[in-house]
Amino acid sequence: DTVLEDDTEEKIALTQEQEDSLLAFAAADPVYKKYCDEIIILLGTGLRISELCGLTTDLDFKGRQINVDHQLLKDSEIGYYVDTPKTKNGTRQIPMSGKVYEALRRAVKNRGKAAAVNIDGYKNFLFLNSDGYPKVKSSYESMLRGLVKKYNKQRKPEEALPNITPHTLRHTFCTRLANAGMNPKALQYIMGHSNITMTLNYYAHATFASAKAEMDRLAA
């Protein structure tokens, strides 16, 4: 089940400083600047990489929301296929932040020429490779590997970034919102987690001091 990938990978979240530094580096790099919008969208939505790959140009810019109801995957034997969420939690609407809204608008505008591809009824995929076919998870894994390698080459060892996968960006998004104190049920909804336990793992462990501070804040 592709939806359970959340628990398998090593959990690393980028700090805000690392995130800003990596984006600034990518934006200034002649090779990687064209991937900036995809990185901004992943960091600003918590989308699974297969959900990002499934995005089409049919976006709700007026309502400023991303409707997530399918994911695009590729199998070595059967090729591309679309998977719909197996649980009701998989289908959700994610609000577009200002940054994500701008990045998606640019992505639609800069989208390359597409091959005439129709995958299980979906077409006009947003993010295409050089052949005009939709990108898949492996394209993003190798792109992020190359970006981090180039970034680290120009940094002191203590400033080096860890290995970053597309899942790291999803994990970073979730950690950031949990640390900011988002209602766990709201965060569970945005992440599309099938159970709240997955979401609660992102929250800092409560202590008496933190519980008291919350009670004082809510009683104020």
Side-chain angles (χ1 to χ4, degrees):
D1 185 336
T2 43
V3 176
L4 291 177
E5 67 195 25
D6 293 32
D7 275 349
T8 54
E9 291 181 52
E10 196 186 344
K11 297 277 196 269
I12 305 163
L14 302 177
T15 64
Q16 188 66 60
E17 199 181 4
Q18 287 175 322
E19 182 182 312
D20 295 344
S21 179
L22 183 67
L23 271 170
F25 177 80
D29 187 87
V31 175
Y32 290 99
K33 64 178 181 211
K34 64 173 180 284
Y35 302 108
C36 267
D37 287 331
E38 287 139 288
I39 298 170
I40 289 167
I41 293 159
L42 289 167
L43 282 165
T45 60
L47 282 169
R48 294 181 179 92
I49 194 63
S50 53
E51 293 168 342
L52 179 89
C53 295
L55 290 181
T56 68
T57 53
D58 179 25
L59 290 159
D60 184 1
F61 284 117
K62 209 169 165 193
R64 291 193 177 225
Q65 63 182 34
I66 299 168
N67 298 310
V68 184
D69 59 8
H70 66 282
Q71 39 186 343
L72 177 69
L73 300 144
K74 193 179 183 188
D75 181 274
S76 54
E77 287 169 26
I78 57 171
Y80 285 105
Y81 66 100
V82 166
D83 205 6
T84 49
K86 293 177 178 60
T87 63
K88 62 176 175 25
N89 303 77
T91 302
R92 61 202 192 279
Q93 281 80 40
I94 301 176
M96 292 179 194
S97 66
K99 271 186 186 166
V100 167
Y101 175 85
E102 296 299 335
L104 284 165
R105 282 229 96 110
R106 283 191 299 269
V108 170
K109 188 169 155 254
N110 301 333
R111 182 174 172 269
K113 295 293 282 175
V117 55
N118 181 324
I119 301 162
D120 299 337
Y122 289 91
K123 52 187 196 299
N124 300 326
F125 289 95
L126 184 55
F127 296 113
L128 309 170
N129 61 27
S130 51
D131 301 329
Y133 283 90
K135 290 187 188 178
V136 288
K137 183 181 180 179
S138 56
S139 348
Y140 289 101
E141 287 171 340
S142 54
M143 180 272 286
L144 288 168
R145 248 196 322 272
L147 172 60
V148 170
K149 194 174 171 185
K150 195 167 186 181
Y151 176 94
N152 286 346
K153 257 197 185 133
Q154 300 180 29
R155 293 288 181 289
K156 300 186 190 107
E158 64 273 16
E159 292 172 346
L161 285 171
N163 174 40
I164 293 174
T165 67
H167 189 81
T168 311
L169 306 181
R170 174 169 161 83
H171 183 70
T172 298
F173 169 83
C174 195
T175 303
R176 190 94 65 243
L177 289 176
N179 286 343
M182 186 179 215
N183 174 318
K185 291 301 277 187
L187 186 51
Q188 178 190 5
Y189 172 80
I190 285 181
M191 294 300 289
H193 285 154
S194 52
N195 63 60
I196 192 73
T197 313
M198 277 168 116
T199 316
L200 290 174
N201 283 335
Y202 286 85
Y203 284 79
H205 292 289
T207 59
F208 172 75
S210 68
K212 181 179 184 312
E214 280 291 276
M215 284 184 72
D216 291 346
R217 179 177 73 81
L218 294 167

